[in-house]
Amino acid sequence: MRPFDYIRADSAEAATRQVADGGIFIAGGTNLLDLMKLEVMAPEALIDINRLELNQIEETEDGGLRIGALVTNSDLANDTRVRRDWPVLSRALLAGASAQLRNKATTGGNLLQRTRCLYFYDRAMACNKREPGSGCAAREGFNRILAVLGTSEHCIATHPSDMAVAMRALGAKVETLKEDGETRQLTLDELYLLPGDRPDRETVLEVGELITGVVLPARVDGRQTYRKVRDRASYAFALVSVAGIVAMEDGRIARADLAFGGLAPKPWRDAQVEALLVGETPSEALFNKAADQLLAQARGFGDNDFKLLLARRTLVSVLTELTETRT
Amino acid sequence: MQTNVIINGTQRRLELDPRTTLLDALRHHLGLSGSKKGCDHGQCGACTVMVNGRRINACLTLACMHDGDEVTTIEGIGQPGNLSALQEAFVSEDGFQCGYCTPGQICSATAMLEEIRNEWPSHVTDDLVGGAELTNEEISERMSGNLCRCSAYPNIVEAIRKAAGKGA
Ligand SMILES: Cc1cc2nc3c(=O)[nH]c(=O)nc-3n(C[C@H](O)[C@H](O)[C@H](O)COP(=O)(O)OP(=O)(O)OC[C@H]3O[C@@H](n4cnc5c(N)ncnc54)[C@H](O)[C@@H]3O)c2cc1C
Ligand code: SF4
């Protein structure tokens, strides 16, 4: 690890200024320290935000929840309200990492974790995300785990979070504090950028902008599930994942909020897929049409071609589960 | 920089380079070599310790971030002649071969049994709202953050079941 100054922030305002002066926030540290050990990241100063009062889960006036940025993945997954009313979020969190990591990982850090692209981690290889302009070794390399949607000629990395996929399906909003004291709310769609020709820029957050929390809207009717397909049954990143919230009315689909992980540089959601399902009677043919829509623009890069079929099968399976009549 | 940590019940003052991980502080600065360095990247669990009662990977956290925290390592869980129920069960059920992952397995399992008592669900729990039974499937899922290179998994699961039966 390269040397750095360690500064414990005692207020959110101070923290944003300290980062604007050349530092980086550290929360759980489970992603940042990993990357610093490999010198993929080498910040001059670590601004430790763990002492800030951002570790509460509070109910909002309209029946939703405000989750502090420092709430750990364990505390969020195990919150009785989340387990009862936003189960897709508990499920996504419990499917991620290990119990040890979830005890340290935070809500803000999980949203901003970096890609697991092997070449991003390997400083001997070309990677536009790590070193803009150096090229992308993954396109022609081992790209089995990488993206099939939203890619660019410069980067085909995926966003690895499970939690963010559930939050995207739930329509969560991220709350931030900027260095100038201004606050704002961003949907997850607004938060994350597609790689385009600047894969090193992953979010719209400005230098020093602190995530203070995430707001979940009130619970909605319907069944919720998070399906994660991976190389081993536990403790592995998603190859494909689907967060689904589906409600039925008189045998027809009344709501289909769907978000996808493992496929794209950000948690993916496609309004046209949902529009195609709502109002229809469930059938395998319909689910396949939804998959056609989801994958209309998708393309593989060799090793990851299998994700197209895997995404289709996972979506069909999730929709079948969420729409079948229970006896 | 200076950090005060309570290690296994004793207040310890550390003077460390901020780069020092909690794991290196324990092993190199406090002589507590029970916690092991396997991958040093949070992937194997050999470094598992408990901080304020929760299991974490000591390799992926800096010692200076733990000022005022209570850390429990394998040395604090039990000592020869005064073993915890889990430590005894790992011996009687042969829950290891080379033994390198064992301190991490035992720290992890100690915290895991507490999580079950607190009715925390896991990825394989059917009902998120009710509690979970200590089935083999639940143990495997909950212990998936601790790898065993010798693959002593069946006996590790047996040891945990045995200790849990005794109210470890
Ligand atoms: C072996 C292993 C397996 C894993 N498996 C999974 C998995 O299956 N699924 C999954 O989803 N994740 C997985 N993870 C990743 C894990 O979820 C992340 O490392 C964790 O969520 C990051 O949170 P943190 O608080 O530790 O972040 P940190 O490492 O502290 O920070 C990560 C980034 O976020 C920034 N940051 C943190 N908090 C804020 C804030 N409040 N405002 C602005 N910026 C902030 C930091 O500056 C840094 O750039 C795994 C990790 C490991 C090591
Ligand atoms: S896919 Fe993105 S992260 Fe991976 S090597 Fe290419 S540019 Fe780097």
Side-chain angles (χ1 to χ4, degrees):
Chain A
M1 242 189 262
R2 304 267 185 84
F4 53 80
D5 293 329
Y6 171 81
I7 300 165
R8 203 173 283 144
D10 45 25
S11 76
E13 293 72 22
T16 60
R17 280 195 300 276
Q18 285 154 340
V19 169
D21 287 344
I24 188 167
F25 298 117
I26 184 162
T30 60
N31 189 227
L32 184 56
L33 292 171
D34 196 3
L35 291 165
M36 285 173 63
K37 285 183 184 191
L38 299 166
E39 297 187 6
V40 171
M41 292 177 81
E44 280 168 22
L46 288 187
I47 312 305
D48 182 354
I49 56 175
N50 283 289
R51 310 279 157 139
L52 305 184
E53 299 279 315
L54 296 173
N55 56 2
Q56 300 295 316
I57 307 178
E58 295 157 357
E59 286 160 33
T60 59
E61 273 172 20
D62 54 3
L65 284 185
R66 172 170 285 106
I67 304 154
L70 292 171
V71 171
T72 64
N73 287 180
S74 291
D75 283 328
L76 186 54
N78 289 306
D79 184 271
T80 47
R81 294 161 294 190
V82 177
R83 278 148 73 180
R84 190 186 60 222
D85 293 337
W86 295 271
V88 64
L89 181 55
S90 277
R91 289 281 178 208
L93 285 159
L94 293 172
S98 66
Q100 288 96 316
L101 287 159
R102 293 192 295 269
N103 277 336
K104 269 263 126 201
T106 65
T107 307
N110 191 315
L111 287 172
L112 298 187
Q113 62 176 297
R114 315 282 317 262
T115 184
R116 307 305 286 201
C117 173
L118 299 170
Y119 301 102
F120 174 70
Y121 271 76
D122 183 348
R123 288 195 303 134
M125 305 300 289
C127 170
N128 288 324
K129 191 185 273 302
R130 177 168 32 74
E131 207 182 312
S134 63
C136 169
R139 277 183 85 88
E140 310 282 317
F142 294 99
N143 51 40
R144 192 170 173 276
I145 62 171
L146 299 181
V148 295
L149 283 165
T151 57
S152 78
E153 128 192 30
H154 304 283
C155 180
I156 60 171
T158 54
H159 190 274
S161 169
D162 292 297
M163 180 195 82
V165 177
M167 285 183 173
R168 178 108 206 248
L170 288 165
K173 289 199 174 130
V174 175
E175 294 187 327
T176 72
L177 173 71
K178 293 199 216 174
E179 195 216 343
D180 60 11
E182 204 186 305
T183 60
R184 59 171 167 167
Q185 270 201 348
L186 299 161
T187 64
L188 266 64
D189 188 30
E190 292 162 345
L191 172 69
Y192 296 110
L193 294 168
L194 288 178
D197 57 7
R198 287 295 302 277
D200 54 312
R201 294 193 56 218
E202 296 173 345
T203 69
V204 297
L205 298 184
E206 295 169 12
V207 178
E209 190 166 355
L210 175 76
I211 295 181
T212 51
V214 174
V215 176
L216 297 184
R219 73 167 284 277
V220 292
D221 288 334
R223 285 187 202 160
Q224 305 188 4
T225 198
Y226 186 75
R227 183 81 60 86
K228 179 172 177 178
V229 185
R230 43 186 160 172
D231 280 328
R232 57 182 186 198
S234 186
Y235 204 14
F237 286 93
L239 292 167
V240 171
S241 72
V242 181
I245 304 159
V246 174
M248 300 291 293
E249 245 172 62
D250 304 325
R252 289 176 185 274
I253 298 171
R255 166 188 285 277
D257 299 343
L258 299 165
F260 303 85
L263 296 180
K266 67 200 252 183
W268 199 254
R269 197 165 166 178
D270 183 335
Q272 281 173 286
V273 172
E274 299 175 18
L276 188 148
L277 291 163
V278 171
E280 300 297 323
T281 321
S283 71
E284 201 175 321
L286 176 71
F287 300 160
N288 270 302
K289 254 172 68 189
D292 291 341
Q293 172 60 42
L294 172 71
L295 298 166
Q297 308 292 324
R299 64 159 293 198
F301 295 88
D303 291 348
N304 69 351
D305 291 348
F306 76 98
K307 283 197 180 183
L308 277 68
L309 187 55
L310 188 62
R312 170 179 300 275
R313 288 181 176 159
T314 311
L315 175 59
V316 171
S317 165
V318 161
L319 289 171
T320 307
E321 177 196 322
L322 291 176
T323 56
E324 75 194 350
T325 347
R326 278 189 198 149
T327 44
Chain B
M1 69 173 287
Q2 192 178 305
T3 308
N4 294 299
V5 197
I6 302 162
I7 313 264
N8 299 328
T10 309
Q11 178 87 40
R12 303 293 294 262
R13 174 176 303 189
L14 291 161
E15 190 62 48
L16 299 168
D17 182 310
R19 285 176 290 183
T20 317
T21 61
L22 178 60
L23 178 62
D24 285 342
L26 292 168
R27 291 179 55 85
H28 302 312
H29 298 269
L30 294 163
L32 294 169
S33 55
S35 310
K36 295 290 184 274
K37 188 181 278 192
C39 68
D40 211 22
H41 286 278
Q43 300 180 358
C44 77
C47 67
T48 304
V49 300
M50 289 187 281
V51 172
N52 303 331
R54 296 238 176 135
R55 50 176 163 162
I56 68 162
N57 301 103
C59 76
L60 277 191
T61 192
L62 298 173
C64 60
M65 295 171 71
H66 291 283
D67 197 51
D69 283 349
E70 280 182 42
V71 180
T72 306
T73 67
I74 189 70
E75 290 89 348
I77 283 181
Q79 288 288 333
N82 182 24
L83 297 180
S84 78
L86 264 166
Q87 287 172 317
E88 263 173 11
F90 268 72
V91 175
S92 69
E93 301 312 302
D94 217 2
F96 47 82
Q97 285 178 38
C98 80
Y100 197 79
C101 72
T102 315
Q105 299 278 0
I106 292 177
C107 283
S108 189
T110 304
M112 185 271 278
L113 292 176
E114 183 63 23
E115 292 164 13
I116 296 249
R117 274 193 288 272
N118 292 333
E119 303 199 338
W120 283 16
S122 83
H123 172 62
V124 299
T125 312
D126 282 334
D127 178 6
L128 278 182
V129 179
E133 300 283 318
L134 200 63
T135 59
N136 288 1
E137 196 195 6
E138 282 282 359
I139 295 175
S140 302
E141 165 59 27
R142 289 167 189 269
M143 293 295 293
S144 71
N146 292 86
L147 306 190
C148 170
R149 192 66 174 75
C150 313
S151 213
Y153 297 113
N155 293 3
I156 292 173
V157 171
E158 265 322 299
I160 293 173
R161 288 183 76 106
K162 184 172 179 188
K166 285 191 184 158

